[in-house]
Amino acid sequence: MPAPAHLDPRLLRAFVAVAEELHFTRAAARLYVAQQALSRDVRRLERELGAELFVRTTRQVTPTADGERLLPYARRVLQAQDDLLAAFGQARPLLVDLNSPGLVTGRLVLERARSLAPEQELMARYESGLTHAAGELVAGRLDASFGRFAGLPAALRAGLGHQPVRHEPMAVVLPEDHPLARLERVPLSALAGETVYAGAGNPRTPEWTDLAHLLFEGRGIHVASPVPLAVGEEEFRRIMDKTRNPILAVESFPAMPSTVVRPLVDPVPLSPVSLVWRKGLVHPALDALRRAAVQVATENGWLEAPGEGWIPAADAAVMSVHK
């Protein structure tokens, strides 16, 4: 069959969504279309190309060799379309991960970006941790996120750009009746002998657990063993009530009933936060987001690390250089 003279980008977008999700229902939800319409688009693309793109069973969807061959070309075509629309002010929404509801840094940057570019649509997402979000960035399912760039594997960092935003002071969340809760600030030495929860076992946040290990090393502080991943505030509080472990957090961590947030001092440990995006992404809202990060960081002195601050050497190097 001769190659078609024209391919509707909508068909390619349907194909890419299925190829990445490996599931028609999830792909349809991602594109906000009915599953039947998505299936029709994929079938039409297969007819126009004269090739079967997926092997479909009741249990799974797998790309064929032709599907694997088409995928990089389809991604490039869709990126070119997005770039063209962005150049003429018709960009798609920019998907921005804020990690978790209630955290301040990303939210303030996003709010400023919306004010700088009111004609653009910037939509918040919550992926919990930068490691998971970075995979979504590289796959094109997310556009920007915030977090500890140095904590990502080198293979992931290679496909991402980043911009330092903040040295965020760290804190500990304590049950309100914990002996350390009476202190206004908790010296790190006071945590010696404690077992502190830092997300161990959570596949979305290994960069945070790694930061905790670096901070606790040589101080007699233990990282708590993995516990069942708690989703939602109620479950988080229930697990905390059960284990009674302090939780490593940042100063802006939202307060929960029956807990207190206490800054850590002597030294002040710093959580390095960067704005992170997929290399090669062209979008006017990303430009606004980057300008907003500079403005908010400058106004609040976020990149001025305190003299008594603690930060790993690898993170300090990353935070001093714009990629």
Side-chain angles (χ1 to χ4, degrees), residues 19-255:
E20 292 179 345
E21 298 293 341
L22 299 179
H23 196 282
F24 274 84
T25 301
R26 290 197 299 268
R30 168 174 156 184
L31 296 177
Y32 300 100
V33 299
Q35 183 176 336
Q36 294 86 343
L38 179 72
S39 297
R40 283 197 302 270
D41 283 347
V42 172
R43 295 279 188 192
R44 179 181 160 191
L45 181 62
E46 289 178 321
R47 289 196 302 271
E48 293 190 5
L49 292 176
E52 186 178 20
L53 301 175
F54 297 104
V55 176
R56 305 160 175 86
T57 70
T58 55
R59 291 182 175 273
Q60 63 182 2
V61 177
T62 307
T64 63
D66 283 329
E68 294 282 4
R69 187 159 58 97
L70 175 62
L71 186 57
Y73 293 102
R75 283 173 171 157
R76 288 201 291 270
V77 168
L78 295 176
Q79 184 62 60
Q81 183 191 39
D82 288 344
D83 294 348
L84 185 152
L85 293 174
F88 287 88
Q90 300 180 41
R92 61 173 176 76
L94 190 80
L95 304 181
V96 184
D97 168 44
L98 302 183
N99 302 140
S100 299
L103 294 182
V104 170
T105 302
R107 177 172 56 80
L108 291 179
V109 173
L110 178 61
E111 289 173 356
R112 178 64 60 86
R114 285 170 172 164
S115 69
L116 291 175
E119 74 284 359
Q120 300 295 330
E121 182 63 69
L122 293 93
M123 300 188 69
R125 294 289 188 269
Y126 301 95
E127 299 292 342
S128 295
L130 183 59
T131 297
H132 176 75
E136 298 294 284
L137 292 173
V138 171
R141 293 188 288 268
L142 192 66
D143 297 310
S145 185
F146 294 86
R148 183 186 170 224
F149 189 73
L152 296 177
L156 270 178
R157 293 201 306 268
L160 301 170
H162 85 98
Q163 177 176 319
V165 174
R166 185 176 187 183
H167 293 104
E168 186 163 12
M170 296 167 71
V172 65
V173 181
L174 300 161
E176 60 184 3
D177 58 352
H178 192 282
L180 296 177
R182 59 183 176 79
L183 302 176
E184 291 187 7
R185 300 182 298 171
V186 175
L188 274 169
S189 59
L191 289 175
E194 293 278 355
T195 297
V196 179
Y197 178 70
N202 184 347
R204 292 173 173 253
T205 60
E207 75 282 356
W208 181 253
T209 307
D210 176 66
L211 185 64
H213 279 292
L214 293 172
L215 175 61
F216 296 164
E217 186 178 7
R219 292 189 165 95
I221 310 170
H222 309 287
V223 173
S225 300
V227 296
L229 182 61
V231 178
E233 184 178 312
E234 277 192 26
E235 285 298 289
F236 193 84
R237 285 174 50 203
R238 185 180 67 80
I239 293 295
M240 186 178 181
D241 288 343
K242 187 175 182 179
T243 64
R244 304 290 296 167
N245 288 328
I247 299 170
L248 188 67
V250 292
E251 283 191 8
S252 61
F253 190 86

